[in-house]
Amino acid sequence: MRKFASVLIALAAMALCQPGFAALQVDVNQGNVQPLPIAIPDFVAPTAADAAHGQDIAKVVRSDLERSGLFKPLDPKSYIDQIANINVAPNFQNWRVITAQGLVTGQVAMQPDGRLRVDFRLWDVYGESQMLGLQYFTQPTNWRRIAHMVSDAIYQRITGEKGYFDTRIVFIAESGPPLKRVKRLAIMDEDGANPSFLTNSYLVLTPRFNPTAQMIAYMSYITGKPRVTLFDLETGRSEKLGDFPNMTFSPRFSPDGNLVAMTLESGGNSDVYVMDLRTRKSTRLTYDPAIDTAPSFSPDGKQIVFESDRGGSQQIYVMNADGSNQHRISFGEGKNGTPVWSPRGDLIAFTKQAGGQFGIAVMHPDGSGERILSNGWEDEGPTWAPNGRVLMFTRTIRGGRGSQIWSVDVTGRNLRRVATPGDASDPAWSPLIQ
Amino acid sequence: MKKFAIGPKLAAAVLAIFVVGCAKEPPPPPPAPTPVVAPAPAPVSKIIPGSAEDLRVNVGDTVHFDYNMYAVLDADKATLQRQAAWLAKFPAIKVTVEGNADERGTREYNIALGAKRANAVKEYLVSLGVSAARVDTVSYGKEKPICSESTESCWAQNRRGVTVIASGANS
């Protein structure tokens, strides 16, 4: 198991760094953004041994920025200039000719202590100024993380929003024929790299990260009945959460990581409970004989959004974290479920079932401003990027032809399939890794 | 059930007589003499009373539900009455009712709906005199379809409660 907390990264502003005037920017709130043309040549390397890292890091940065939909990395074959020394200002005219508005120059060099040093600069080609310059040190095996951190820094400098490339996705890897599906807990980097399985062949569903991305709560059928289970990524150990006679499912951590909201079933009836991980005491929050499930905390931890069919059809409700003031917020068309509060607090994403379709939609926590972001045969189960700008969800193909993970910008743009090793469902986005 | 005591050879003979008796055409040529050693066991008569197969084949283990509903349908009550009678006959057997949903619902909701369906089956069995302690429930939501097409017919098949033996089966 890769341990994120142990990664050693030094970060320093470089001498040439003169942030301030930002002519080069992308407004992510615009409904229709032209991707920003940007050139990212292979990072220079003093030795042939470092050259591969320089190429690999630049390639990952190009891929990250392209995937965001906000950048258009230019084909390296179109470059007419070469970067030989990142400490010399580039010949901006040669980058303007190929329509680049942004330019990233970088270098990698193995240090005597065995660490890899990575430097990069972000240039405003038209403003002829440096926007950003950063330096990282890491173990060479962590070069991918450094590449994602470079991408995050560029994204943040140009959009004003935090990036989300240095994150991971926990999900359910699916295999086998439609009627004998094998579902396993799996994890990968946000770009699909480094996939690995965490469980074997018993049924598992709906994994969720805790706020430190070290713990995963999920539903496991390993004992025959679904039980909320915790998986510790550091130790690789799993543990059933609580000792309840019946089913427990749909877990989700509180923003401080101390609580898990989940559903307990008793006598066929499902209600929302909260368990305190420190005391292992559980508190019942809903008492309705209808189905109450799929809880998700607000980012301040003071409220919980959940779904219930107490009004006759599956709809979205909000309550205080102590269970008080339960009130319906979804009044749009069709049935609405699997609500997830944005980490920014401004929106709730959910699954809308209407007109024979399942789509991903967002609305404000008071139920206003509903917008549909995707529509498919069976799009469901949204999860937010830590910056609240992008969502992933499960797209199931009609006729038992498998499930895929897709992503979409909160504006509804940039709908695309996420790279997974085989079929996949139930994605959960990690917070930014510390 | 006496027929289960019939040996394979005799069963084959009984079957042959039955077929002959039903024929409306002129009688076919006399059947070839039964070999001393039957090449394959007869397809019937192998089910052990009180076994999983007995429950599935002779009693009926599955009931169905309307879309988004969990009430036991009148059409399925006879099946559950047979299950209750069968459970009375084999008191060592404990069962689990598995509730299932079609694909046209979200994952968590379908888990909860399947739990309501499994519980409805359990409650009906208990109303017929089966001890609640002998009937456990579980929900698979939409995770265990038996039909994969996205059609009304498949969804109807998948909206089901299945009674399976948890322990105490004869084998």
Side-chain angles (χ1 to χ4, degrees):
Chain A
M1 199 56 50
R2 210 148 46 105
K3 188 176 161 191
F4 279 100
S6 69
V7 177
L8 201 68
I9 298 139
L11 194 69
M14 290 166 67
L16 281 175
C17 181
Q18 295 165 327
F21 181 67
L24 190 60
Q25 60 181 353
V26 173
D27 183 349
V28 292
N29 295 306
Q30 289 297 317
N32 188 14
V33 179
Q34 281 297 320
L36 183 97
I38 190 166
I40 308 164
D42 291 347
F43 284 20
V44 298
T47 70
D50 296 334
H53 278 132
Q55 291 161 11
D56 290 342
I57 288 173
K59 192 176 167 192
V60 167
V61 173
R62 285 193 288 265
S63 168
D64 283 348
L65 295 180
E66 191 280 329
R67 228 169 35 253
S68 75
L70 301 176
F71 296 86
K72 187 176 106 185
L74 299 168
D75 184 349
K77 291 197 200 79
S78 70
Y79 302 167
I80 57 171
D81 204 352
Q82 278 197 331
I83 302 297
N85 182 347
I86 69 158
N87 296 315
V88 175
N91 182 341
F92 293 107
Q93 176 57 28
N94 284 346
W95 298 100
R96 279 196 291 270
V97 165
I98 63 162
T99 74
Q101 294 182 33
L103 169 66
V104 176
T105 61
Q107 95 184 358
V108 294
M110 193 69 83
Q111 301 299 289
D113 64 3
R115 290 185 305 165
L116 196 66
R117 171 178 160 174
V118 180
D119 298 276
F120 85 94
R121 301 175 192 278
L122 169 64
W123 302 90
D124 178 344
V125 171
Y126 282 81
E128 301 205 349
S129 60
Q130 180 179 312
M131 298 178 73
L132 188 63
L134 293 169
Q135 183 177 86
Y136 306 83
F137 291 91
T138 187
Q139 298 306 315
T141 48
N142 280 320
W143 67 268
R144 270 192 167 273
R145 281 206 64 198
I146 296 302
H148 294 314
M149 294 167 94
V150 170
S151 303
D152 282 335
I154 294 167
Y155 180 100
Q156 181 167 4
R157 184 68 183 90
I158 291 183
T159 69
E161 305 274 349
K162 275 195 177 302
Y164 52 82
F165 304 109
D166 187 25
T167 57
R168 294 210 282 178
I169 309 296
V170 63
F171 63 101
I172 300 300
E174 300 193 13
S175 57
L179 300 183
K180 288 210 183 294
R181 216 65 177 142
V182 176
K183 295 195 169 195
R184 301 168 67 187
L185 189 63
I187 193 167
M188 64 182 187
D189 295 350
E190 186 269 345
D191 62 351
N194 295 316
S196 66
F197 295 113
L198 304 178
T199 61
N200 296 321
S201 57
Y202 50 89
L203 180 60
V204 290
L205 300 167
T206 67
R208 320 288 186 204
F209 274 109
N210 81 337
T212 64
Q214 293 287 342
M215 190 86 84
I216 297 163
Y218 61 106
M219 297 165 61
S220 166
Y221 279 78
I222 190 169
T223 62
K225 279 199 184 196
R227 305 285 187 190
V228 170
T229 303
L230 301 180
F231 189 99
D232 188 324
L233 283 167
E234 210 161 323
T235 64
R237 280 209 298 264
S238 61
E239 168 205 4
K240 185 178 76 172
L241 182 60
D243 189 20
F244 304 99
N246 296 302
M247 306 195 312
T248 55
F249 57 105
S250 76
R252 213 179 278 274
F253 287 95
S254 62
D256 65 7
N258 289 328
L259 311 174
V260 171
M262 58 183 176
T263 311
L264 263 68
E265 176 264 334
S266 178
N269 183 34
S270 296
D271 276 299
V272 175
Y273 286 66
V274 166
M275 172 170 273
D276 191 315
L277 294 177
R278 297 160 298 187
T279 62
R280 298 284 160 145
K281 279 192 182 147
S282 59
T283 308
R284 183 173 179 176
L285 300 184
T286 68
Y287 288 85
D288 202 280
I291 290 171
D292 295 320
T293 186
S296 168
F297 282 94
S298 61
D300 64 6
K302 291 179 177 166
Q303 290 175 285
I304 293 173
V305 63
F306 65 103
E307 64 174 61
S308 175
D309 65 359
R310 61 182 66 177
S313 73
Q314 183 187 11
Q315 297 295 345
I316 294 169
Y317 291 70
V318 168
M319 61 183 163
N320 293 333
D322 64 0
S324 63
N325 190 25
Q326 297 182 12
H327 60 281
R328 179 172 165 181
I329 62 163
S330 66
F331 291 95
E333 195 193 351
K335 298 195 285 187
N336 300 286
T338 70
V340 193
W341 218 304
S342 160
R344 301 159 73 103
D346 57 340
L347 292 170
I348 289 167
F350 58 99
T351 306
K352 171 174 280 295
Q353 299 165 248
Q357 301 264 296
F358 283 45
I360 304 302
V362 292
M363 62 183 164
H364 296 301
D366 65 1
S368 67
E370 178 185 291
R371 286 186 291 117
I372 293 172
L373 306 183
S374 87
N375 232 321
W377 170 246
E378 207 170 290
D379 290 356
E380 70 169 308
T383 180
W384 289 96
N387 70 356
R389 298 291 328 170
V390 186
L391 292 136
M392 286 189 189
F393 56 91
T394 303
R395 169 165 282 184
T396 300
I397 310 302
R398 185 171 188 162
R401 295 204 304 277
S403 291
Q404 305 164 350
I405 297 177
W406 284 64
S407 70
V408 67
D409 196 272
V410 72
T411 58
R413 296 174 59 253
N414 199 32
L415 176 71
R416 56 173 73 200
R417 187 174 174 185
V418 174
T420 52
D423 276 8
S425 57
D426 289 7
W429 215 313
S430 81
L432 272 175
I433 294 157
Q434 301 301 312
Chain B
M1 297 197 185
K2 264 187 211 151
K3 68 174 174 178
F4 296 117
I6 299 171
K9 222 189 297 180
L10 184 53
V14 169
L15 191 65
I17 290 161
F18 179 74
V19 169
V20 170
C22 281
K24 287 175 183 150
E25 301 299 318
T34 309
V36 176
V37 178
V44 292
S45 306
K46 279 299 203 183
I47 298 177
I48 297 161
S51 67
E53 199 181 7
D54 187 23
L55 172 59
R56 189 165 49 80
V57 174
N58 295 322
V59 178
D61 60 352
T62 301
V63 297
H64 295 94
F65 297 89
D66 285 338
Y67 171 71
N68 205 26
M69 306 297 276
Y70 57 90
V72 171
L73 299 172
D74 284 343
D76 284 324
K77 286 180 176 167
T79 300
L80 296 182
Q81 285 156 13
R82 282 198 303 276
Q83 287 184 12
W86 184 82
L87 285 165
K89 195 168 161 188
F90 300 102
I93 291 178
K94 291 186 173 180
V95 293
T96 299
V97 181
E98 301 173 343
N100 292 273
D102 65 34
E103 62 173 333
R104 301 309 278 162
T106 51
R107 199 173 314 286
E108 295 91 331
Y109 185 86
N110 276 352
I111 297 278
L113 179 59
K116 281 193 179 284
R117 287 174 175 165
N119 190 65
V121 170
K122 172 177 177 168
E123 285 189 346
Y124 193 76
L125 291 173
V126 168
S127 78
L128 297 172
V130 179
S131 162
R134 294 177 63 197
V135 187
D136 199 2
T137 58
V138 68
S139 172
Y140 290 114
K142 58 178 170 179
E143 308 305 321
K144 301 254 180 197
I146 53 169
C147 185
S148 67
E149 295 302 309
S150 294
T151 59
E152 289 291 348
S153 154
C154 266
W155 297 332
Q157 292 177 57
N158 290 333
R159 292 190 297 265
R160 69 199 193 280
V162 185
T163 304
V164 300
I165 296 177
S167 64
N170 294 337
S171 57

